[in-house]
Amino acid sequence: MQGSKVVAITGASSGMGEAIARTLAARGDRVVLGARGEAALARVGGEIRAAGGEATWRLTDVARRDEVSALVAHTVATYGRLDVFVANAGAMPIGPLDALAVDDWELMVDVNIKGVLWGIAAVLPVFRAQGSGHFIAVASTAARKVVPGMAVYAGTKAAVAAICEGLRQEVAGEFRVTTLFPGYTATNFADHVRDDGLRAQLAAGAAIAMPPEAVAAVVAFAIDQPEGVSIGEIVLRPTAQG
Ligand SMILES: NC(=O)c1ccc[n+]([C@@H]2O[C@H](COP(=O)([O-])OP(=O)(O)OC[C@H]3O[C@@H](n4cnc5c(N)ncnc54)[C@H](OP(=O)(O)O)[C@@H]3O)[C@@H](O)[C@H]2O)c1
């Protein structure tokens, strides 16, 4: 039923994760927010509560398996169940391979790939015990269209798509799996890009970016399908994005 779910969201302190949390809480879902920045988490969670919504939060670095497990355990301890897990947190310090920013490569693998895997590891036993659940991951159109400077980022997002499709097949009949492929979205994601040329390219993209609420609406749509209907993949991008 719409607005009655317990939903844990990683990367919920800004951008898409924040929009997903606010959108779901506004219609009555109970949201559990995870991210690394305490002040931003408390701001978003506090504002949701002040608006009459139900929210709790926990500091979570998705690169750490124990912290993702703790987010899920906190959710179950607080609300007695977990209906939806949104693996949204992502790192985007993109740049050309020959810049040899190998620490950035490692970060993207740790956050974008392993972070999603730790989410799967944490929710599988919970969903199995409940006999239901919904795992939603945020990939990117970069998984489908690779451009120079985004090789590692695109590779991590293609990995997310492959892992989630494998998960969907393995748990068919038990719980639902949805992968989102957003295009340019107006968030803070370009802040961590060191390469001046790429930052300028992203700034140009920002002119056509869609609001993060567009992604939140798609998450709500996927959740709201009847239990017997699983939305596997959704690609959404600004109409102006080529
Ligand atoms: N914006 C776009 O155009 C676009 C397009 C396609 C896909 N995406 C994907 O959308 C997702 C959300 O990104 P966004 O655009 O909303 O960017 P954003 O505004 O920068 O938000 C990123 C969120 O992830 C959190 N985060 C970063 N590293 C984390 C970690 N290790 N553990 C836990 N939380 C972490 C951040 O909070 P803390 O720093 O406090 O942890 C923040 O809440 C990402 O997976 C991204 O790859 C973005």
Side-chain angles (χ1 to χ4, degrees), residues 99-214:
L100 293 181
V102 294
D103 290 345
D104 288 343
W105 302 355
E106 197 161 27
L107 179 73
M108 286 187 272
V109 168
D110 284 349
V111 175
N112 300 357
I113 302 178
K114 289 188 188 170
V116 172
L117 285 170
W118 302 152
I120 292 169
V123 304
L124 256 171
V126 175
F127 287 176
R128 286 234 153 100
Q130 291 175 171
S132 69
H134 193 167
F135 188 85
I136 301 178
V138 178
S140 168
T141 50
R144 297 279 168 81
K145 181 181 177 185
V146 184
V147 296
M150 288 211 197
V152 178
Y153 178 71
T156 64
K157 293 302 189 177
V160 168
I163 291 163
C164 289
E165 172 57 12
L167 175 68
R168 185 194 68 75
Q169 294 179 25
E170 289 184 20
V171 302
E174 295 183 86
F175 61 86
R176 307 191 292 182
V177 180
T178 301
T179 311
L180 304 183
F181 298 78
Y184 280 120
T185 309
T187 69
N188 299 329
F189 87 116
D191 290 359
H192 306 289
V193 177
R194 284 185 245 283
D195 186 278
D196 292 340
L198 276 172
R199 238 197 347 272
Q201 195 181 313
L202 290 169
I208 60 157
M210 60 189 173
E213 288 74 20

Side-chain angles (χ1 to χ4, degrees), residues 9 29 33 42 52 60 71 76 85 148 152 178 205 214 227 231 233 236:
I9 305 153
D29 290 314
L33 321 179
T60 308
L71 178 70
V76 174
F85 185 90
V152 178
T178 301
E227 274 303 314
I231 302 290
E233 298 186 347
L236 69 157

